[in-house]
Amino acid sequence: IPRTIPRTIYFYNGAAIHNNNNNNNTMEAIPGYATTKKIEQEGSGPGISKGNNVTVHATGVVKETGKKFWSTKDPGQQPFSYQAGVGGVITGWDQGCLGMKVGETRLLEIPAHEGYGAAGFPAWGIPPGGTLFFTLECLKIE
């Protein structure tokens, strides 16, 4: 069941984490998961499938605090590569990236049980039971 989200979610250092350029404020369910997604910018070509090697830009924000905990776009960081759909990243991200196309930007809302769980990840500022927003930009699919 889709649900409506606010037009602007969070800001970090004055920059919008995502901006709803397509004026569609509805998050879509990912079948079988609690994580939801929203396409911010359409991509093209074939989508990510289980087992693909994928390279993305990613920015993570804690929903409860509005604080960014990681971004591949920060100085000294670089795009992140992983194998999709096989459990190499947190569940919400792993399932939420499937179907993305090169050039696509997608917002994921990942509840704690599909993220870092009841313990959170305090070293990164993710509190116990923290819900995460991840903005992913698909750069390459192999």
Side-chain angles (χ1 to χ4, degrees):
I1 296 174
R3 64 185 183 84
T4 301
I5 60 171
R7 285 188 79 69
T8 302
I9 297 290
Y10 291 103
F11 287 84
Y12 179 77
N13 286 345
I17 297 300
H18 78 94
N19 60 17
N20 291 315
N21 284 336
N22 63 11
N23 292 321
N24 177 0
N25 296 327
T26 303
M27 296 291 281
E28 298 175 44
I30 296 171
Y33 296 89
T35 294
T36 56
K37 66 181 180 180
K38 179 181 175 302
I39 297 172
E40 294 285 312
Q41 179 177 317
E42 296 284 345
S44 61
I48 296 172
S49 297
K50 181 179 179 178
N52 285 149
N53 291 312
V54 180
T55 301
V56 298
H57 269 307
T59 299
V61 174
V62 177
K63 179 179 181 179
E64 291 79 5
T65 64
K67 294 189 180 198
K68 178 176 75 166
F69 59 86
W70 179 60
S71 179
T72 59
K73 294 184 175 186
D74 284 346
Q77 296 290 317
Q78 52 189 313
F80 182 73
S81 297
Y82 63 101
Q83 189 174 19
V86 297
V89 293
I90 59 174
T91 300
W93 176 337
D94 205 29
Q95 298 304 308
C97 76
L98 297 176
M100 284 186 77
K101 299 174 181 181
V102 171
E104 181 177 323
T105 302
R106 183 178 286 191
L107 174 69
L108 301 176
E109 183 175 347
I110 304 173
H113 70 280
E114 292 179 0
Y116 290 99
F121 197 136
W124 281 10
I126 300 170
T131 297
L132 308 176
F133 285 117
F134 264 103
T135 301
L136 303 178
E137 177 187 352
C138 184
L139 304 174
K140 182 167 64 170
I141 303 170
E142 299 177 313

